[in-house]
Amino acid sequence: MNRFHVTRATGLSRFALALSVLLVVVLAAAPWWGSTATLRLIGEMMIYLALASLWNLLAGYTGLVSVGQQAYVGFGGYMLFTIALYLGWNPLVAIPLAGLAAALVSIPVAKLVFRLNGAYFAIGTWVVAEVFRLGFAQMSSLGGGSGSSLPVAIMRDMASSKAMRESLIYWAALALGAGSVAFVYLLLRSRIGLALTAIRDNETASSSLGIAIPRIKLAVYVCVAAATAMVGALIFLQKLRIAPDAAFSVNDWTVLVIFMVVIGGIGTIEGPIIGTILFFVLREFLADLGSVYLMILGALAIAVMMLSPQGIWGLIAGRRGLSLFPVGYRVETRGEKP
Amino acid sequence: MSILVLDQLSKRYGALLVTDGISLSVDRGEIVGILGPNGAGKTTLFNLIAGTVKPNSGTITFDGRDITREGAAVRCRAGISRSFQVPQPFTGMTVFENVLVGATFGRDRAGASDFAMRALELSGLTRKANQLAGSLPLLDRKRLELARALATDPSLLLLDEIAGGLTDSECHELLEVLREVNAAGVTMVWIEHVVHALLSVAQRLVVVDFGRKIADGVPDAVMASREVKSVYLGDDVHV
Ligand SMILES: Nc1ncnc2c1ncn2[C@@H]1O[C@H](COP(=O)(O)OP(=O)(O)O)[C@@H](O)[C@H]1O
Ligand SMILES: [Mg+2]
């Protein structure tokens, strides 16, 4: 006995990890090889990759199907503006502070919406986001309903040259995009991930085995809120302008994100990555078509959901459950290789 | 010294009084067998003790502490562990991962993997460690229930019909394991219809019928009592 050990990685996953690290290094060097337009595009992809990975953690792994994450995108954006305009601090410092503020705010929000289940939870989160929107529209110090802009002086404080500012914002986007995927992966590999998988399978058995389900769900909700607010802060640092309708847009920050996650594969780490890439490819080729483009997106989403509820990654992974980022455990006994 | 004390515990589902003022105390290190016809309220009693459902009235004291209002997770970490009569595996996880959940969250010391493997070994599931729990046949699912319960390092183990369907030699192995676990200091309460298996380890028998405790005492006396005979009259009981 005791002649065993537990492995987490596979040959494929080591390869995928090495490739991911290489990709991040190449992307980090983009300011030296890419044009301003390229930086913008990759930066935007990273922002959506972050939002998609975070929403997937919430809905796909934790069962908290929120359609109100725009509450934290907008909140993060407004926190950035508040900190930069009224405290005069560097906007890059404001990004993590916006995350921290969102974490604090998300706790009472969670106490409220966690009383609701299923569809009521989803609607509840949406209502909360609307309350946020109406609340910020009342704040005349932040421009009320018409919003406000970041003065050029504040941006100059961040970096004196335009190119440097663009690079800094791009790196922040890359850090949030790659960081969100890494965060989700590491979280799912941790004991919290083990608990989430168990809860997803069977709540009764989970709590009988010692898992404090409400505490785990709250922890995930708060972490996702904080990270989403950091992404929101960056989004509006890039835009230089914020107004309630744009900040708390359900279409931009939740509907598109759900589309990406569902198409790519909900409840998988790979899904949001595939979904984000696919969305941007489609947009590049089809955006000229106007409203037909949105109809194609909708039709595609329905087709994928009917063909494969696990999305495109579900089709690729197949029944054997292939995984580039495995979070499970394999027992290997001595002298026996599986 | 009692590890578990139930005082006037009642549970009602609609008009049905499923647990009807049950009082029971279990001593540390004891093995108590529970008998009773189907629908008597045995599983509900476990649900109440483990915190899966809350009683309408009465109190539950464990290790000298009133846990009546505590949730299942807190009770598990306090040392109460149970198997489900209808197995509740995490179907999308492997057998090892199922047990690792108990070893990680049900106890607070390090070394969860080793503890999980030990529980698998005791339950005879070592060779199936990497199989998906959803692919297991019923008997293995029951073994997994035992393994997960053991992995939480309990001081009180509640077993709900784990011997049904076993061959004689498998049943013998199970009894050996239960004796070993009990010898290590684990108190047990065991609901079982396989009466000969129950009688070979139980030091005390409790009989439940219509939600009420109708007998409680040493096995021989309980089996010979008028109450038990009347409950099982016509029933297929092999002693
Ligand atoms: N969740 C529930 N809702 C309604 N009735 C229940 C529920 N659980 C158990 N019962 C009823 O309680 C009675 C006792 O069930 P149970 O405790 O499972 O009995 P046993 O384990 O002794 O066979 C049965 O009549 C059963 O139908
Ligand atoms: Mg039962």
Side-chain angles (χ1 to χ4, degrees):
Chain A
M1 65 164 271
N2 274 337
R3 293 274 172 233
F4 75 95
H5 77 119
V6 177
T7 56
R8 314 291 305 273
T10 61
L12 178 66
S13 80
R14 286 192 194 95
F15 175 73
L17 198 62
L19 205 64
S20 309
V21 170
L22 187 69
L23 184 66
V24 170
V25 170
V26 170
L27 288 177
W32 289 280
W33 55 257
S35 65
T36 299
T38 310
L39 290 192
R40 281 238 175 91
L41 180 66
I42 302 176
E44 200 189 349
M45 284 180 78
M46 285 298 145
I47 278 167
Y48 271 106
L49 177 62
L51 291 177
S53 295
L54 293 167
W55 187 81
N56 181 46
L57 173 61
L58 201 58
Y61 283 102
T62 317
L64 297 170
V65 185
S66 164
V67 293
Q69 290 311 95
Q70 66 276 15
Y72 298 110
V73 172
F75 179 83
Y78 270 104
M79 280 304 111
L80 178 112
F81 272 59
T82 309
I83 292 168
L85 288 174
Y86 292 100
L87 299 177
W89 295 359
N90 188 325
L92 289 176
V93 177
I95 294 176
L97 292 179
L100 200 64
L104 293 176
V105 164
S106 70
I107 295 170
V109 171
K111 297 267 181 237
L112 194 70
V113 291
F114 277 22
R115 292 163 181 266
L116 308 169
N117 284 313
Y120 295 100
F121 174 82
I123 294 166
T125 57
W126 194 353
V127 170
V128 166
E130 283 301 292
V131 170
F132 273 49
R133 183 176 68 81
L134 294 170
F136 279 100
Q138 291 304 309
M139 293 190 185
S140 48
S141 57
L142 289 164
S146 51
S148 58
S149 303
L150 275 186
V152 187
I154 286 175
M155 295 309 285
R156 287 232 179 84
D157 273 356
M158 197 171 94
S160 48
S161 78
K162 185 163 181 289
M164 194 57 199
R165 284 200 291 275
E166 277 170 359
S167 298
L168 282 176
I169 288 177
Y170 169 79
W171 283 324
L174 178 63
L176 285 176
S180 294
V181 176
F183 168 70
V184 171
Y185 177 50
L186 292 175
L187 187 84
L188 291 175
R189 277 175 64 99
S190 73
R191 63 205 299 274
I192 292 186
L194 184 68
L196 288 177
T197 320
I199 295 168
R200 188 160 68 162
D201 270 2
N202 191 320
E203 293 210 358
T204 307
S206 297
S207 50
S208 291
L209 291 170
I211 298 177
I213 297 177
R215 209 186 308 162
I216 298 262
K217 288 190 174 178
L218 178 68
V220 173
Y221 184 83
V222 170
C223 287
V224 168
T228 304
M230 284 168 61
V231 178
L234 180 67
I235 290 172
F236 291 96
L237 174 60
Q238 202 172 21
K239 290 187 189 294
L240 299 175
R241 230 202 104 61
I242 196 164
D245 288 349
F248 298 96
S249 162
V250 64
N251 279 329
D252 290 350
W253 314 129
T254 297
V255 174
L256 289 183
V257 168
I258 294 178
F259 169 86
M260 292 173 205
V261 175
V262 167
I263 290 233
I266 191 166
T268 66
I269 294 176
E270 296 84 355
I273 302 174
I274 293 175
T276 306
I277 294 171
L278 187 75
F279 172 80
F280 277 86
V281 169
L282 286 174
R283 199 181 71 174
E284 287 301 296
F285 288 105
L286 302 175
D288 298 341
L289 298 177
S291 60
V292 175
Y293 154 65
L294 288 174
M295 288 163 70
I296 293 176
L297 282 192
L300 187 70
I302 293 169
V304 169
M305 274 190 279
M306 280 167 49
L307 281 173
S308 164
Q310 285 292 326
I312 291 174
W313 181 253
L315 286 177
I316 298 171
R319 292 178 53 87
R320 287 179 48 232
L322 192 72
S323 180
L324 298 179
F325 304 103
V327 297
Y329 299 74
R330 277 199 80 75
V331 179
E332 284 176 21
T333 17
R334 200 179 64 152
E336 172 203 335
K337 278 256 169 188
Chain B
M1 170 57 195
S2 300
I3 187 169
L4 177 74
V5 180
L6 310 182
D7 186 30
Q8 288 295 317
L9 209 56
S10 291
K11 174 69 193 174
R12 177 182 290 286
Y13 283 116
L16 194 64
L17 199 53
V18 178
T19 307
D20 187 358
I22 289 191
S23 296
L24 174 70
S25 95
V26 178
D27 284 347
R28 200 172 290 279
E30 210 181 2
I31 301 182
V32 176
I34 297 192
L35 278 174
N38 277 326
K42 305 180 298 296
T43 297
T44 303
L45 193 62
F46 273 13
N47 285 339
L48 290 168
I49 299 170
T52 310
V53 302
K54 294 275 152 61
N56 293 100
S57 62
T59 60
I60 305 165
T61 310
F62 177 71
D63 252 345
R65 174 177 148 214
D66 185 345
I67 55 161
T68 315
R69 294 289 138 210
E70 300 286 8
V74 170
R75 296 191 200 187
C76 173
R77 283 193 298 272
I80 301 178
S81 185
R82 60 93 57 94
S83 75
F84 288 93
Q85 181 185 351
V86 178
Q88 310 268 339
F90 304 121
T91 50
M93 301 170 91
T94 68
V95 166
F96 174 75
E97 287 163 353
N98 266 264
V99 179
L100 188 63
V101 171
T104 304
F105 295 97
R107 44 194 280 288
D108 41 31
R109 269 163 296 153
S113 297
D114 292 316
F115 216 83
M117 281 308 281
R118 175 80 187 121
L120 282 184
E121 207 174 302
L122 279 173
S123 317
L125 282 173
T126 309
R127 283 177 344 107
K128 302 197 169 171
N130 290 323
Q131 273 187 30
L132 273 188
S135 71
L136 293 180
L138 180 65
L139 277 184
D140 282 337
R141 286 179 185 225
K142 287 195 174 190
R143 291 190 176 101
L144 182 56
E145 283 295 324
L146 175 64
R148 284 198 313 199
L150 289 174
T152 66
D153 196 10
S155 47
L156 172 64
L157 185 57
L158 309 171
L159 299 170
D160 197 348
E161 301 195 21
I162 54 166
L166 296 181
T167 65
D168 281 351
S169 77
E170 287 169 337
C171 192
H172 184 75
E173 277 169 36
L174 173 68
L175 293 173
E176 281 307 303
V177 168
L178 295 185
R179 283 192 193 102
E180 187 182 331
V181 170
N182 177 244
V186 178
T187 309
M188 284 182 206
V189 182
W190 185 10
I191 297 171
E192 190 51 75
H193 282 308
V194 183
V195 178
H196 68 87
L198 191 61
L199 289 179
S200 73
V201 293
Q203 295 145 7
R204 181 150 69 101
L205 272 190
V206 169
V207 182
V208 177
D209 194 22
F210 291 111
R212 247 175 285 173
K213 185 171 94 171
I214 58 165
D216 182 348
V218 289
D220 289 346
V222 168
M223 291 311 288
S225 71
R226 198 164 43 81
E227 290 89 344
V228 171
K229 287 199 173 126
S230 74
V231 164
Y232 281 101
L233 202 66
D235 259 18
D236 189 19
V237 177
H238 310 280
V239 181

